C-alpha cells in the first residue's frame, strides 16, 4: 500500500492499523463492485431497503433519545421523517433508476421537460408516482439544469456512474454530519451510485449511538465489502483525509472544518492559500450550510393565512432545535405591507408557543448566548430561543452572516410591494446573506397570479441550490429525487455553502438547483384557493398534534406498502 503521512499523536498504532485495514478491504470491494451488473446492484439495494425497514423503529427511537426527546415528546416524529423515511425514499428512487438503466432506458424518459428562464431547462420530477402525490400532497418538484444543457444531453447523461457500471471503482471517504441522521447514509449511497465508488463512512461523534443501527441498515453493503463504518473525532478525520488511498472526500459540516481539511490551520494555512497549494490534493465535495432567507411576499392574506404561515416559519427555524444547515434564519418582510404588524404578532406567538426542547448540538448554547449579547432586545422563548426583530439603528450584519445553528430567528424589513419587493428581497438575499444552500419564498395565490411568469424569472435570479415556494427547503432535503447542495460557483478558496450535490436519485448531470412548490393553504382552506392539499397540518410542522403518529405511519407504509396502514395514517393526519 502507498505510504501515508505520520498519524496524529492522539491515534495509537492499533487505531491506525484498524483504519488501514478498513481501507484495504474497501479497495478489494471496489474491484468486486465493478463486476456487478445493474440488476445485481438493484438486488443489493433491495436488501438494504429491507434492512433499513427492520431497524427503522430503533433508528428513530435512538435518534430521539440522543437529542433529549423522551417517549412522550410531541416532536419525536422528526426523527422518523429525517431518518429512515428519507433513506427509504432515496432507496426507492435509486432502485427505479437502476432498473430503468438496466432495460436500456433513460431515467428522464417520461419526465416532462420544459424551458426555464435564462436559457435553462427544467425536469418536473416530483411527484414520480400517485403515492408521492398523496404522501406529499400539494407539492411538486423540479430539477433545473445549468444554462446551455438541452433535453437530449440531459437524457443521455442521466445515470452518472451507473452508465458504465464496469468502470474501475475507487474508494471514497464520507465524513458524516452530526445533526440529521439520514445524512451519513444518504451520502454513502450517493458516493456508491452517482460516483461508482465504494465508501468509508466516518460517523460524527454526536451520532455514535446510531452506529449499531447504521451497521445493520447497511449490512448487505458491508458484508459485500462495499462500505465500512468507523467512529472517531478530529484525529481520525485528519488521518483519513490525509490518506492517499481515497479517490474522493465528501463532507457535510461547517466551512471552518472544510477549510481546516483543505488548507490546514494557523500560519501554514495562510501561506498555502497565498500560494494556491492546498494541503488536501484529493478531490472534495461538501455541503456546508449558510444563512437561509424566508422571503415573505406581501399580499392579501387572511387571518388564518397569517397564523398558518407563522407556524410554517417557526418550523423552518425550530425543527431539530435549529441545528439544521437549512434552517430558515432571516425573515425578509415588507415594511410597506399593511398586514406587517399582524404578521409579526402571529410570528411572535407561533415562535413562543412551539414545544420546548433541548438545545443539544455542541456549542449551540454558546452561539445562543452570543446572539443574545449582540441583540439584547431580542425576545426570548422556551429553551432560550431568540426572535430578533432588527429595528432601525440595529446592525443586521451579524444575523445575516453568522450561521447560528441554534434557535435564533431574525426579521429584517425592506421596502416595496408585490414584484418590486420580491426583486428587492432576492437581491438582498443574494448580496447580504451568507451561503447559497437554500431559500424559502412565501406568496399567496392571488399575488402569484398577478406576477405570472415574473415569478419564475425572479426565482431564476435567486442564487440558491434549493428553493422552496410555499414550502420549506427542509422538505427539498427529504425529497431525494431532488438535488441537494449549494448553488454552483464556489471554489476551494471560497467554499461558501459547499461544492457539488447529493441525493438526486435520477442521477442527473449538469444540475444547477431544485425547486419545490407547495400549497399556500392547508386543507380545508386549500379547496378552490390555490394548490390543493389534503393535509390540515403537515406532519413536519412543530405545531402538528399528530406528528409522531403520522410520521411513524408514513415510514411504516414505505416499509410494508400496506394500504390499510396508509389509510389509518391519513385519517390520523386529518386530525392534525
Amino acid at each position: 500500500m502507498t505510504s501515508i503521512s505520520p498519524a496524529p499523536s492522539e491515534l495509537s498504532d492499533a487505531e491506525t492499523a484498524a483504519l488501514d485495514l478498513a481501507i484495504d478491504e474497501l479497495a478489494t470491494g471496489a474491484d468486486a463492485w465493478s463486476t456487478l451488473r445493474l440488476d445485481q446492484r438493484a438486488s443489493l439495494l433491495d436488501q438494504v431497503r429491507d434492512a433499513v425497514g427492520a431497524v427503522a423503529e430503533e433508528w428513530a427511537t435512538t435518534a430521539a433519545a440522543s437529542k433529549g426527546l423522551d417517549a412522550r415528546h410531541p416532536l419525536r416524529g422528526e426523527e422518523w421523517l429525517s431518518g429512515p423515511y428519507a433513506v427509504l425514499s432515496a432507496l426507492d428512487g435509486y432502485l427505479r433508476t437502476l432498473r430503468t438503466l438496466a432495460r436500456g432506458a433513460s431515467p428522464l424518459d417520461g419526465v416532462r421537460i420544459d424551458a426555464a428562464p435564462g436559457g435553462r431547462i427544467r425536469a418536473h420530477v416530483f411527484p414520480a408516482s400517485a403515492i408521492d402525490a398523496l404522501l406529499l400532497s400539494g407539492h411538486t418538484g423540479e430539477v433545473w439544469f445549468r444554462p446551455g444543457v438541452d433535453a437530449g444531453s440531459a437524457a443521455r447523461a442521466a445515470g452518472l456512474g451507473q452508465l458504465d457500471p464496469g468502470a474501475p471503482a475507487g474508494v471514497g471517504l464520507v465524513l458524516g454530519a452530526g445533526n440529521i441522521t439520514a445524512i451519513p447514509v444518504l451520502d454513502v449511497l450517493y458516493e456508491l451510485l452517482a460516483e461508482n465508488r465504494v465508501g468509508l463512512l466516518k460517523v460524527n461523534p454526536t451520532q455514535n449511538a446510531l452506529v449499531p443501527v447504521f451497521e445493520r441498515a447497511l449490512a448487505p453493503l458491508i458484508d459485500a465489502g462495499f462500505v465500512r463504518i468507523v467512529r472517531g473525532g478530529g484525529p481520525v478525520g485528519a488521518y483519513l483525509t490525509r490518506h492517499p488511498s481515497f479517490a474522493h472526500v465528501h463532507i457535510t459540516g461547517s466551512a471552518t472544518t472544510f477549510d481546516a481539511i483543505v488548507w490546514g490551520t494557523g500560519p501554514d494555512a495562510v501561506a498555502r492559500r497565498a500560494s494556491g497549494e492546498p494541503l488536501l490534493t484529493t478531490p472534495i465535495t461538501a455541503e456546508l450550510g449558510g444563512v437561509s432567507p424566508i422571503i415573505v411576499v406581501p399580499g392579501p392574506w387572511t387571518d388564518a393565512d397569517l397564523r398558518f404561515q407563522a407556524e410554517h416559519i417557526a418550523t423552518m427555524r425550530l425543527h431539530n432545535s435549529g441545528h439544521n444547515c437549512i434552517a430558515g434564519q432571516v425573515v425578509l418582510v415588507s415594511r410597506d405591507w399593511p398586514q406587517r404588524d399582524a404578521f409579526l404578532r402571529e410570528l411572535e406567538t407561533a415562535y413562543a408557543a412551539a414545544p420546548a426542547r433541548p438545545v443539544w448540538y455542541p456549542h449551540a448554547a454558546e452561539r445562543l448566548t452570543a446572539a443574545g449579547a449582540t441583540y439584547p432586545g431580542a425576545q426570548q422563548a422556551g429553551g432560550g430561543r431568540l426572535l430578533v426583530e432588527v429595528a432601525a439603528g440595529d446592525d443586521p450584519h451579524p444575523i445575516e452572516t453568522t450561521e447560528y445553528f441554534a434557535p435564533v430567528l431574525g426579521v429584517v424589513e425592506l421596502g416595496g410591494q408585490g414584484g418590486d419587493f420580491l426583486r428587492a428581497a432576492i437581491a438582498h438575499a443574494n448580496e447580504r446573506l451568507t451561503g447559497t444552500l437554500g431559500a424559502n419564498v412565501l406568496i399567496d395565490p392571488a399575488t402569484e397570479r398577478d406576477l405570472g411568469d415574473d415569478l419564475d424569472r425572479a426565482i431564476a435570479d435567486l442564487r440558491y441550490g434549493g428553493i422552496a415556494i410555499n414550502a420549506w427547503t427542509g422538505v427539498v432535503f427529504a425529497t431525494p429525487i431532488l438535488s441537494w447542495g449549494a448553488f454552483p460557483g464556489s471554489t476551494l478558496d471560497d467554499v461558501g455553502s459547499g461544492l457539488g450535490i447529493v441525493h438526486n436519485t435520477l442521477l442527473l448531470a449538469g444540475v444547477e438547483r431544485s425547486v419545490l412548490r407547495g400549497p399556500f393553504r392547508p386543507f380545508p382552506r386549500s379547496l378552490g384557493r390555490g394548490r390543493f392539499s389534503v393535509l390540515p397540518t403537515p406532519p413536519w410542522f412543530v405545531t402538528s398534534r399528530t406528528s409522531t403518529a403520522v410520521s411513524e405511519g408514513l415510514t411504516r407504509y414505505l416499509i410494508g406498502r400496506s394500504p390499510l396502514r396508509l389509510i389509518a395514517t391519513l385519517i390520523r393526519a386529518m386530525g392534525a
Side-chain angles (χ1 to χ4, degrees), residues 539-554:
W540 56 88
F541 268 41
V542 293
T543 51
S544 172
R545 297 190 304 272
T546 60
S547 170
T548 299
V550 172
S551 300
E552 178 181 351
L554 292 176

Side-chain angles (χ1 to χ4, degrees), residues 134-135 553-554 557 562-574:
L134 187 59
L135 297 186
L554 292 176
Y557 169 74
S562 165
L564 291 179
R565 180 175 292 278
L566 178 60
I567 292 169
T569 299
L570 292 176
I571 291 173
R572 293 296 299 270
M574 295 301 290

